[in-house]
Amino acid sequence: QSALTQPASVSGSPGQTISISCAGTSSDIGTYDFVSWYQQHPGKVPKLIIYAVTDRPSGVPDRFSGSKSGNTASLTISGLRPEDESDYYCTSYRANNPHVIFGGGTKLTVL
Amino acid sequence: EVQLVESGGGLVQPGGSLRLSCAASGFTFSRDWMSWVRQAPGKGLEWVAKIKEDGSQKYYVDSVEGRFTISRDNGRNSLYLQMNSLRAEDTAVYYCAREVWWRFDNWGQGTLVTVSS
């Protein structure tokens, strides 16, 4: 039950644009458009910020966007702000159990 | 407003048992799949178990299969996780989450389970 592959860390300066990748396989990201992204600040509860590859729940700023190409999904944050410093996790549906798999998480540092 | 409130965590010895509960409100509980997701200290998120709206289907991550049992009581708007034969590697914060089309759109605040002698 391999996890999706994310970079351990990324960084950027305020105002910049960064992207976090999430690599899967043809059994998950490559076939299904059920990719989600979660933001988790230290000691806090995870928060859904992107679902169905590109959709944002109500209240999530449009600075957050999602995309997918082949077996890899990406989260892009534009106009980086200090409060974006957080851990980010991707998930995808896959047909076999476990039906939802998580990425290992990426720590975003806003310099 | 959707609310999920977990309880039942604590310190337990290896081999012991614990039952987690999750009280749901603010939505029609009986219409949604529900999941348990855990996070070991300093580690990432891991899906643990899920249960269909009517309780007729249940799925588990391999590492807990045969030791953990997920259940629900739609009359009480409650989700449960019975954890037996606990191991040190089960130490984690356990979150209750509503699952809609394979995304977790609402989470509880979590309950800490520590397995240690």
Side-chain angles (χ1 to χ4, degrees), chain B residues 24-116:
Chain B
S25 61
F27 66 105
T28 305
F29 180 73
S30 61
R31 292 184 181 174
D32 288 312
W33 285 78
M34 296 295 295
S35 278
W36 288 97
V37 177
R38 68 183 178 183
Q39 186 169 36
K43 302 297 184 181
L45 298 167
E46 179 186 38
W47 170 80
V48 174
K50 65 191 294 182
I51 185 168
K52 193 177 178 181
E53 300 95 324
D54 61 0
S56 61
Q57 293 180 39
K58 305 175 184 181
Y59 299 94
Y60 303 90
V61 68
D62 282 354
S63 59
V64 309
E65 182 81 56
R67 300 188 298 122
F68 289 11
T69 302
I70 189 172
S71 62
R72 65 192 297 163
D73 184 338
N74 287 342
R76 295 178 181 270
N77 288 343
S78 293
L79 176 72
Y80 306 100
L81 186 67
Q82 177 67 44
M83 304 185 295
N84 299 331
S85 302
L86 282 162
R87 306 166 180 168
E89 54 264 36
D90 295 318
T91 294
V93 173
Y94 285 73
Y95 296 101
C96 159
R98 186 175 77 167
E99 185 178 328
V100 178
W101 289 98
W102 302 286
R103 66 180 182 266
F104 306 110
D105 68 346
N106 285 277
W107 300 64
Q109 85 288 350
T111 187
L112 176 62
V113 172
T114 303
V115 184
S116 174

Side-chain angles (χ1 to χ4, degrees), chain A residues 35-39 47-57 60-61 63-67 74-76 89 91, chain B residues 103:
Chain A
V35 176
S36 301
W37 289 90
Y38 301 84
Q39 178 190 60
K47 175 188 175 183
L48 177 68
I49 57 172
I50 295 288
Y51 66 96
V53 181
T54 60
D55 294 346
R56 282 186 310 276
V60 174
R63 301 185 298 104
F64 294 86
S65 63
S67 63
S74 297
L75 171 71
T76 298
Y89 296 89
T91 66
Chain B
R103 66 180 182 266

